Amino acid sequence: MIKIGIIGAGRIAHVHARSVLHHPNTELAAVMEPSLSSATAFTQAYGGRPTESIDDLLDEVDAVIVCSPTAYHPEHIVAAARRGRPVLCEKPVAADLGHVDALEAELAGLDATVMIGFNRRFDPSFARLHHLVEAGVIGDVEQVTIISRDPAPPPMDYIPTSGGIFKDMTIHDFDMARHFLGDIVSVVAIGQNLDPALEQTGDFDGAIVTLVNSEGRTATITNSRHCAAGYDQRLEVFGSNGTLNADNVRPTTVRVSTADSTDAQDPYLDFFLSRYEDAYRRELDEFLLALAEGRTPDPTIEDGRRALEIAEAADRSARTGTIISL
Amino acid sequence: MIKIGIIGAGRIAHVHARSVLHHPNTELAAVMEPSLSSATAFTQAYGGRPTESIDDLLDEVDAVIVCSPTAYHPEHIVAAARRGRPVLCEKPVAADLGHVDALEAELAGLDATVMIGFNRRFDPSFARLHHLVEAGVIGDVEQVTIISRDPAPPPMDYIPTSGGIFKDMTIHDFDMARHFLGDIVSVVAIGQNLDPALEQTGDFDGAIVTLVNSEGRTATITNSRHCAAGYDQRLEVFGSNGTLNADNVRPTTVRVSTADSTDAQDPYLDFFLSRYEDAYRRELDEFLLALAEGRTPDPTIEDGRRALEIAEAADRSARTGTIISL
Amino acid sequence: MIKIGIIGAGRIAHVHARSVLHHPNTELAAVMEPSLSSATAFTQAYGGRPTESIDDLLDEVDAVIVCSPTAYHPEHIVAAARRGRPVLCEKPVAADLGHVDALEAELAGLDATVMIGFNRRFDPSFARLHHLVEAGVIGDVEQVTIISRDPAPPPMDYIPTSGGIFKDMTIHDFDMARHFLGDIVSVVAIGQNLDPALEQTGDFDGAIVTLVNSEGRTATITNSRHCAAGYDQRLEVFGSNGTLNADNVRPTTVRVSTADSTDAQDPYLDFFLSRYEDAYRRELDEFLLALAEGRTPDPTIEDGRRALEIAEAADRSARTGTIISL
Amino acid sequence: MIKIGIIGAGRIAHVHARSVLHHPNTELAAVMEPSLSSATAFTQAYGGRPTESIDDLLDEVDAVIVCSPTAYHPEHIVAAARRGRPVLCEKPVAADLGHVDALEAELAGLDATVMIGFNRRFDPSFARLHHLVEAGVIGDVEQVTIISRDPAPPPMDYIPTSGGIFKDMTIHDFDMARHFLGDIVSVVAIGQNLDPALEQTGDFDGAIVTLVNSEGRTATITNSRHCAAGYDQRLEVFGSNGTLNADNVRPTTVRVSTADSTDAQDPYLDFFLSRYEDAYRRELDEFLLALAEGRTPDPTIEDGRRALEIAEAADRSARTGTIISL
């Protein structure tokens, strides 16, 4: 059994703990979290023991999943890297590009293994779609269209700490765009403030972003902090020989037909924990498989850095009304 | 221009008159109908002139469409055949098998051209599906599933004159079953009386019929005289290598998603005139094309006879609780 | 933790063992299986210890899941009942009606708790559909249409021991029909022998069955032992005010559009273990919940008996060419 | 019968002539076209007589449909207006904004009735979707997403005369965006040159355009000059309480399922003449209905001007890499 340590005991830590619990070859060995009572409750649910320092945690584990607040990601990655522990770190890799630079400088020469948790790459539908693109089913990719809308805004007091919509929410879409287009050379973003409840946060509650790669291929991202029909997560890739779509996921296949309407279906799975539960499990699978095979797992810190770079450019574009070249 | 005569001026005559009007190579030349005022109104809408006898009508036309009440079909077919006019006759070919026998005896030696109006064979979706079967896309046909439900019952006083649900409504489905399976050797039908409003008519308001051909391949037909969601017309053909489906037709492609349900679509086109408008036009095309090419148009009187034979067997099966061999 | 014993270590026992493993409140305590090496491998995978007699097993467990060959079901149910252990027994409850009679006689006075594993009632889509029917969304049920096709025939040597298609495969559909229609009064079945490879088994490889309840409401079941597109499991319930459909389940939501065709989707989940994995888990949930609440869990032995009665009638109908009254 | 004159005898003139022919209350009275042989062939197909001058044409008609090359639109509109003939003019209203200014100056005081042929507003699906928005089904419009891809590029020698992709193709989408958002205040466009065959034309072969109205509501338009799967015409409107989608239209409802894929459908209707045939008819209906009711028909010259203004801004944005304010 591979012994896993989790740093942090918040919402996303629970997701990873469940993946560890269900995985046939892993066990949760240790959890580090400032609040001892949270840590204890966490280990009672998933196993392992609470630790008070990162060194204690690293003593007991083979690999680490970093679920701490973003500001602590670099410190926790470096600590694990120094002890030779592979790391799966939640997105975004750091709070801003400056901190990623500093992190990369610290990791230089350490031979660290760090995977960044862009879970959507591992969603069964998006992964299948990517595989079909790689297999050449639609020829060359020309236009990627991503629709990504949350079912409801996060708690109001979370928003000021979120880093803004582009680093917090769109960052997943930026990684997906790069997954299909490679490096991006140009970014233009339109921010929206349509939800009066979110107006005073200073953050956008919707956005339209267009990315272009060096060959002129594009990705268009449509975001909203709310969506009446549920968690709206769709992907279309248009290529020279065809089009691929991945649709929303529903809890059942039931369709209702009456005199008013026909084939009405369930609302979408409405939270990222249910929508992407499989994706988180497959992300852990890939992390462990890469370790077992001695490969560098994807996505890397560099992928995390590029997505963050686009997020910062998008924010600048939306606030200045200009197209930003990278 | 090919001069067409229409016998009858009821609902289905209007459908055919519109096909004649829209066809680039046909014109309505004459209409025969007992009520002169109906005939006059009819010709004002579609052209041609009212005639008082079938001989007058046959004098002026190149071909005839028979839309008279079923009881008159044989008489009108024979009259046209004697004058060498090709006939497109509405279904059913006659009121019962005895009358079809008599009709065939009268036509013997006349070299008549008679096509029976089983319009569903010409529906674009069903025709495409049939073409794919013929092209071998799904291998050998094993199970045909037909769902055919009217949006609402006909007027109560029509039912006693209708010939019963099997000759009036299911007859279309019997022809479709034969279109995919060829001749039928065994029939079992379950009649339903679920609609209290129709109970006293003595006719069934729903039915489940299973047909078997000589190789053991089956067709299952589900009928109802009502359907809340509209005119429910579906066809599935399951074969050794795949399955083909033809779905309901809707007026638009709009889908509505809200917090209650997602991708709710329009009710189906809810009357046979709109649902099968294209089918009636393509039926006329095939009739004219066969004439132009000197071919016998399909479906023939013999097809009409076989469908009627199944309808009579189904009625007997439903009323006696037995499986009927043909 | 509730201690579960499993009798049998075959394919379906693995399914239940996984449900027990994933359930937060259960643990596998004991397994009984004639082959000690199978039993040992089984417990290594899922926990618990192998036992050599049913008495040993019953000593160690709070409840029993019976996965033995059908012929042993009554003996294992009675043994558990005598020791006051609740039983979840795989379908069919026994090899024939005579054995169910004998079982019920033995259980008389024992206050046994026995649930029969008709897992499809617990499939999320079928359960949701049933809930909508109960909630009155489509008014009164009039016509149930079940399409149930296996992806590929079972091993040839399994068929002679299977009890025949109606007891082995259609029995699930008979239970679903009863779930929506209640007791059945009339059965007519058409058996098919279209697959040359299965011809010499004496069993049918396809079937069309129509069931009628005392009010004339119907269920139509279409079965095949093979289906090119995967495991074809669909349910339609047509009611006085609307129609409900539950469709096939696919591994992803990806659609492929090229010059040849558009919106082509994945083949269906192609084995009952993947298709009904959730259903088996929810079946266990219901069993445990009923125990916790002191309720009799559904479906009962009586439900198992009625489904078996229909299966025997269907076989008689198909072999004699008659409609059977129950 | 309302007498219609058509100016021009090209492809789009044929579309309108068919609408006139099928309309119960109109007849084609006159056609003006420089090539007399084209004009004669045209009138032989649809009726009316060829005329050599616009004055001759205006003498004989009640209303005019302008299908001449764009450069002649203003001249033909003014001529009709001076004679008090209502005009339905094809899009775009003129070659550029300067010519629209001049046209509006000439029309001042003439009390002209001019409708611009933005046919998509009259497509049954898009019109139904717009009606549902107006009825408040999805609350306030927040994000409009238009995907509009031609099946194949126009002839190479047409492109230099087309006015460029934004005036030629996207102009329809600009009108649709305005139909849902009203006036636009900001435009950003990314042009693509991915098709080597079109590279030397100087025109783009794909584009992503984002429009913003004064309230910050957006429309995103994705265009391509080619699409393997057919003529890709989709519309999504996301609102505060729900989402509406209008999908592609297919010739049949047939779905094909085999071992390779399931529910594969037909390619889309692949040319604007078939896809929008109904839309052109309903456009004529609205034109005639507005005349009959004494209303100004929508869309107006001002709508044509605004769409053209956006097209010019989009071209400037794409060529300069800036966001353009209107």
Side-chain angles (χ1 to χ4, degrees):
Chain A
M1 298 292 270
I2 301 164
K3 290 177 192 157
I4 304 287
I6 293 183
I7 303 179
R11 191 171 65 177
I12 198 68
H14 283 265
V15 175
H16 287 291
R18 274 198 296 274
S19 295
V20 169
L21 186 66
H22 282 106
H23 195 285
N25 300 330
T26 59
E27 64 184 340
L28 185 61
V31 171
M32 189 188 88
E33 157 74 20
S35 149
L36 189 64
S37 69
S38 290
T40 304
F42 196 91
T43 55
Q44 277 164 353
Y46 306 107
R49 70 172 193 82
T51 59
E52 292 189 18
S53 76
I54 191 160
D55 277 329
D56 286 357
L57 180 135
L58 293 169
D59 281 344
E60 306 194 15
V61 303
D62 301 313
V64 177
I65 304 178
V66 174
C67 304
S68 47
T70 301
Y72 295 90
H73 286 181
E75 172 186 334
H76 293 147
I77 290 171
V78 169
R82 290 208 169 117
R83 296 283 298 274
R85 301 288 184 267
V87 177
L88 169 57
C89 179
E90 264 303 314
K91 59 89 213 167
V93 56
D96 55 42
L97 279 180
H99 285 92
V100 184
D101 288 342
L103 169 63
E104 292 192 327
E106 289 204 72
L107 292 177
L110 283 183
D111 193 25
T113 297
V114 184
M115 176 176 173
I116 302 301
F118 285 122
N119 60 301
R120 290 188 197 171
R121 292 196 187 195
F122 303 97
D123 173 73
S125 294
F126 297 160
R128 171 86 180 140
L129 194 158
H130 190 261
H131 170 80
L132 293 171
V133 168
E134 296 288 301
V137 168
I138 58 164
D140 295 326
V141 172
E142 299 195 351
Q143 297 170 329
V144 176
T145 304
I146 298 170
I147 305 239
S148 172
R149 296 179 178 122
D150 281 346
M156 195 67 63
D157 57 358
Y158 167 76
I159 292 184
T161 75
S162 71
I165 193 171
F166 297 114
K167 287 187 189 176
D168 181 50
M169 180 177 170
T170 328
I171 193 129
H172 281 294
D173 307 309
F174 294 142
D175 182 64
M176 286 303 284
R178 290 190 63 251
H179 198 35
F180 288 96
L181 293 182
D183 285 336
I184 298 304
V185 301
S186 170
V187 179
V188 58
I190 309 291
Q192 292 184 296
N193 287 104
L194 297 173
D195 184 340
L198 296 185
E199 209 159 16
Q200 59 272 53
T201 64
D203 195 13
F204 302 113
D205 56 45
I208 310 291
V209 187
T210 306
L211 309 178
V212 189
N213 78 4
S214 63
E215 293 174 313
R217 305 175 194 284
T218 58
T220 309
I221 299 164
T222 299
N223 283 163
S224 173
R225 280 289 194 190
H226 73 91
C227 178
Y231 187 34
D232 190 5
Q233 298 286 299
R234 286 173 285 157
L235 173 61
E236 168 171 318
V237 182
F238 169 75
S240 48
N241 297 331
T243 309
L244 296 168
N245 288 271
D247 288 328
N248 284 305
V249 178
R250 293 174 172 91
T252 79
T253 65
V254 173
R255 293 179 281 123
V256 180
S257 300
T258 65
D260 294 324
S261 68
T262 58
D263 289 335
Q265 298 178 63
D266 293 339
Y268 320 135
L269 285 181
D270 84 341
F271 201 39
F272 76 93
L273 299 181
S274 45
R275 173 65 177 83
Y276 287 120
E277 187 181 9
D278 272 359
Y280 282 105
R281 289 194 194 174
R282 287 166 187 237
E283 181 184 270
L284 180 62
D285 287 346
E286 162 58 15
F287 177 60
L288 298 172
L289 192 64
L291 298 187
E293 295 177 352
R295 285 189 286 108
T296 303
D298 267 330
T300 62
I301 287 185
E302 190 56 23
D303 290 312
R305 175 201 184 80
R306 297 289 170 100
L308 202 56
E309 189 180 16
I310 299 171
E312 296 193 352
D315 191 71
R316 214 152 59 238
S317 173
R319 293 188 188 280
T320 61
T322 57
I323 301 179
I324 308 291
S325 296
L326 295 180
Chain B
M1 297 293 272
I2 301 164
K3 289 178 192 160
I4 304 289
I6 294 183
I7 304 179
R11 191 170 65 177
I12 198 69
H14 284 265
V15 175
H16 288 290
R18 274 197 295 272
S19 296
V20 169
L21 185 66
H22 283 105
H23 196 284
N25 301 330
T26 58
E27 63 183 341
L28 185 60
V31 172
M32 189 189 88
E33 158 75 19
S35 151
L36 189 63
S37 69
S38 289
T40 304
F42 197 91
T43 55
Q44 277 165 353
Y46 306 109
R49 70 171 192 83
T51 59
E52 291 189 20
S53 77
I54 192 160
D55 277 330
D56 285 359
L57 180 133
L58 293 169
D59 280 345
E60 306 194 16
V61 304
D62 301 312
V64 176
I65 304 177
V66 174
C67 304
S68 48
T70 300
Y72 295 89
H73 286 180
E75 171 186 334
H76 292 147
I77 290 171
V78 169
R82 289 206 170 118
R83 297 282 298 274
R85 302 288 184 266
V87 177
L88 169 57
C89 179
E90 263 305 313
K91 60 89 214 169
V93 58
D96 55 40
L97 278 180
H99 285 92
V100 184
D101 287 342
L103 169 64
E104 292 191 328
E106 289 204 74
L107 292 177
L110 283 182
D111 193 24
T113 296
V114 183
M115 176 176 172
I116 303 300
F118 285 123
N119 60 301
R120 290 189 198 171
R121 293 197 188 195
F122 304 97
D123 173 72
S125 294
F126 297 160
R128 170 86 181 142
L129 194 158
H130 190 261
H131 170 79
L132 292 172
V133 169
E134 295 289 300
V137 167
I138 58 163
D140 295 326
V141 172
E142 301 194 351
Q143 297 170 331
V144 176
T145 303
I146 298 171
I147 306 240
S148 173
R149 297 179 178 123
D150 281 347
M156 195 68 62
D157 57 358
Y158 167 76
I159 291 182
T161 75
S162 72
I165 192 169
F166 297 115
K167 286 186 189 176
D168 181 49
M169 178 175 171
T170 328
I171 193 129
H172 281 295
D173 308 311
F174 294 142
D175 181 64
M176 285 304 284
R178 289 191 63 253
H179 197 35
F180 288 97
L181 293 183
D183 284 337
I184 299 304
V185 300
S186 168
V187 180
V188 58
I190 309 291
Q192 293 185 295
N193 287 103
L194 296 173
D195 183 341
L198 296 185
E199 209 158 17
Q200 61 272 54
T201 64
D203 194 13
F204 301 113
D205 55 44
I208 310 291
V209 187
T210 305
L211 310 177
V212 189
N213 78 4
S214 64
E215 294 175 313
R217 304 174 196 283
T218 58
T220 310
I221 298 164
T222 299
N223 283 164
S224 173
R225 280 289 193 190
H226 73 91
C227 178
Y231 188 33
D232 190 5
Q233 297 286 298
R234 285 173 286 156
L235 172 62
E236 169 171 317
V237 182
F238 170 75
S240 49
N241 297 331
T243 310
L244 297 169
N245 287 272
D247 289 327
N248 284 303
V249 177
R250 294 173 173 91
T252 78
T253 65
V254 173
R255 294 178 280 123
V256 180
S257 300
T258 64
D260 294 324
S261 67
T262 57
D263 288 335
Q265 298 178 65
D266 294 339
Y268 319 135
L269 285 182
D270 82 344
F271 200 40
F272 76 95
L273 299 180
S274 46
R275 172 65 177 84
Y276 287 120
E277 187 181 10
D278 272 359
Y280 282 106
R281 290 195 193 173
R282 288 166 186 239
E283 181 184 271
L284 180 63
D285 287 346
E286 163 58 14
F287 177 60
L288 297 172
L289 192 64
L291 298 186
E293 296 177 351
R295 285 190 286 107
T296 304
D298 267 330
T300 63
I301 286 185
E302 189 55 24
D303 291 312
R305 175 201 184 80
R306 296 290 170 100
L308 203 55
E309 189 180 18
I310 299 171
E312 296 193 351
D315 192 69
R316 214 153 59 239
S317 172
R319 293 190 188 279
T320 61
T322 56
I323 299 178
I324 307 291
S325 296
L326 295 182
Chain C
M1 297 294 270
I2 301 164
K3 290 177 191 161
I4 304 287
I6 293 183
I7 303 178
R11 192 172 64 175
I12 199 68
H14 283 265
V15 174
H16 287 290
R18 275 197 295 274
S19 295
V20 169
L21 185 65
H22 282 105
H23 196 284
N25 301 329
T26 58
E27 65 184 339
L28 185 61
V31 171
M32 190 188 88
E33 157 75 19
S35 150
L36 189 63
S37 70
S38 290
T40 303
F42 196 90
T43 55
Q44 277 165 353
Y46 306 108
R49 70 173 193 82
T51 59
E52 292 191 18
S53 77
I54 192 160
D55 277 330
D56 286 356
L57 180 133
L58 293 169
D59 281 345
E60 305 195 15
V61 304
D62 301 313
V64 177
I65 304 177
V66 174
C67 304
S68 49
T70 301
Y72 295 90
H73 286 181
E75 171 186 335
H76 292 147
I77 289 171
V78 168
R82 289 206 171 119
R83 296 282 296 274
R85 301 289 184 267
V87 177
L88 169 58
C89 179
E90 264 304 315
K91 60 88 218 170
V93 58
D96 56 40
L97 278 180
H99 285 92
V100 184
D101 288 342
L103 169 64
E104 291 191 328
E106 289 205 72
L107 291 178
L110 282 183
D111 192 25
T113 296
V114 184
M115 176 176 172
I116 302 301
F118 285 123
N119 60 299
R120 288 187 199 173
R121 293 196 187 195
F122 304 97
D123 173 71
S125 294
F126 297 160
R128 170 89 181 139
L129 195 158
H130 190 260
H131 169 79
L132 292 171
V133 168
E134 296 287 301
V137 167
I138 58 164
D140 295 326
V141 172
E142 300 194 352
Q143 297 170 331
V144 177
T145 303
I146 298 171
I147 306 236
S148 171
R149 297 179 178 122
D150 281 347
M156 196 67 63
D157 57 358
Y158 166 77
I159 291 182
T161 74
S162 71
I165 193 170
F166 297 114
K167 286 187 190 177
D168 181 49
M169 179 176 172
T170 329
I171 192 128
H172 281 294
D173 308 310
F174 294 142
D175 181 65
M176 284 304 283
R178 288 190 65 251
H179 197 35
F180 288 97
L181 292 183
D183 284 338
I184 299 303
V185 301
S186 169
V187 180
V188 58
I190 309 291
Q192 293 185 295
N193 287 103
L194 297 172
D195 183 341
L198 295 186
E199 210 160 15
Q200 60 272 53
T201 63
D203 194 14
F204 302 112
D205 55 44
I208 309 290
V209 187
T210 305
L211 310 178
V212 190
N213 78 4
S214 63
E215 294 175 313
R217 305 175 194 282
T218 58
T220 310
I221 299 164
T222 298
N223 283 163
S224 173
R225 280 291 194 189
H226 73 90
C227 179
Y231 187 33
D232 190 5
Q233 298 285 299
R234 284 173 286 157
L235 172 62
E236 169 172 316
V237 181
F238 169 74
S240 48
N241 297 331
T243 310
L244 297 168
N245 288 272
D247 289 327
N248 284 304
V249 178
R250 295 173 171 92
T252 78
T253 65
V254 173
R255 294 178 280 124
V256 180
S257 300
T258 65
D260 295 324
S261 67
T262 58
D263 289 334
Q265 298 177 65
D266 293 339
Y268 319 135
L269 285 181
D270 83 342
F271 200 40
F272 76 94
L273 298 182
S274 45
R275 173 64 177 85
Y276 287 119
E277 187 182 10
D278 272 357
Y280 282 107
R281 289 194 195 173
R282 287 165 187 240
E283 181 184 271
L284 180 63
D285 287 346
E286 163 58 14
F287 177 59
L288 297 172
L289 192 65
L291 298 186
E293 296 178 350
R295 285 189 286 108
T296 305
D298 267 330
T300 63
I301 286 185
E302 190 56 23
D303 291 312
R305 175 200 184 81
R306 296 289 170 98
L308 203 54
E309 189 181 17
I310 299 171
E312 296 193 352
D315 191 71
R316 213 151 63 238
S317 173
R319 294 191 187 280
T320 61
T322 56
I323 300 178
I324 307 290
S325 296
L326 295 182
Chain D
M1 296 295 269
I2 301 164
K3 291 177 191 160
I4 304 287
I6 293 183
I7 304 180
R11 191 172 66 177
I12 198 69
H14 284 265
V15 175
H16 288 290
R18 275 198 294 273
S19 296
V20 169
L21 185 66
H22 282 106
H23 196 284
N25 301 330
T26 58
E27 65 183 339
L28 184 60
V31 171
M32 189 187 88
E33 157 76 19
S35 150
L36 189 64
S37 68
S38 290
T40 304
F42 196 91
T43 55
Q44 278 166 353
Y46 305 109
R49 70 172 194 82
T51 59
E52 292 191 16
S53 77
I54 191 159
D55 277 329
D56 285 359
L57 179 134
L58 292 170
D59 280 345
E60 305 195 16
V61 304
D62 301 313
V64 176
I65 303 177
V66 174
C67 303
S68 48
T70 301
Y72 295 90
H73 287 181
E75 172 186 334
H76 292 146
I77 290 171
V78 168
R82 289 206 171 118
R83 295 283 297 274
R85 302 290 185 267
V87 177
L88 169 57
C89 178
E90 264 303 316
K91 61 86 216 171
V93 57
D96 55 41
L97 279 181
H99 285 91
V100 184
D101 288 340
L103 168 64
E104 292 193 327
E106 289 205 72
L107 291 178
L110 283 182
D111 193 25
T113 296
V114 184
M115 177 176 171
I116 303 301
F118 284 122
N119 60 300
R120 290 187 198 172
R121 292 196 188 195
F122 304 97
D123 173 73
S125 294
F126 297 159
R128 170 88 180 139
L129 194 158
H130 190 261
H131 170 79
L132 293 171
V133 169
E134 296 288 301
V137 167
I138 58 164
D140 295 325
V141 172
E142 300 194 351
Q143 298 171 329
V144 176
T145 303
I146 299 171
I147 306 239
S148 173
R149 296 178 179 123
D150 281 348
M156 196 66 64
D157 57 359
Y158 166 76
I159 291 183
T161 74
S162 72
I165 192 171
F166 297 114
K167 287 186 190 178
D168 181 50
M169 178 176 172
T170 329
I171 192 129
H172 281 294
D173 308 309
F174 294 141
D175 182 64
M176 285 304 282
R178 288 190 65 252
H179 198 34
F180 288 97
L181 293 182
D183 285 337
I184 298 304
V185 300
S186 168
V187 180
V188 58
I190 308 292
Q192 293 185 295
N193 287 105
L194 297 173
D195 184 341
L198 296 186
E199 209 160 16
Q200 60 272 53
T201 63
D203 194 13
F204 302 112
D205 56 43
I208 310 292
V209 187
T210 305
L211 309 178
V212 189
N213 78 4
S214 63
E215 294 174 314
R217 304 175 194 284
T218 58
T220 309
I221 299 164
T222 298
N223 283 164
S224 173
R225 279 291 194 188
H226 73 91
C227 179
Y231 187 33
D232 191 3
Q233 298 285 298
R234 286 173 285 158
L235 172 62
E236 169 172 316
V237 181
F238 169 74
S240 48
N241 298 331
T243 309
L244 297 168
N245 288 272
D247 288 328
N248 284 303
V249 177
R250 295 172 170 91
T252 79
T253 64
V254 172
R255 293 179 282 123
V256 180
S257 300
T258 66
D260 294 324
S261 67
T262 58
D263 289 334
Q265 298 178 65
D266 294 340
Y268 318 135
L269 286 181
D270 83 342
F271 201 38
F272 76 94
L273 299 181
S274 46
R275 172 64 178 84
Y276 288 120
E277 188 182 10
D278 272 357
Y280 283 106
R281 290 196 193 172
R282 287 166 186 238
E283 180 183 271
L284 180 62
D285 287 346
E286 162 58 14
F287 177 60
L288 297 172
L289 191 64
L291 298 186
E293 296 178 351
R295 284 190 287 107
T296 304
D298 267 331
T300 62
I301 287 186
E302 190 55 24
D303 291 313
R305 175 200 184 82
R306 296 290 170 99
L308 202 56
E309 189 181 16
I310 299 171
E312 296 194 352
D315 191 71
R316 214 152 61 237
S317 172
R319 294 191 188 278
T320 60
T322 57
I323 301 178
I324 307 291
S325 295
L326 297 180

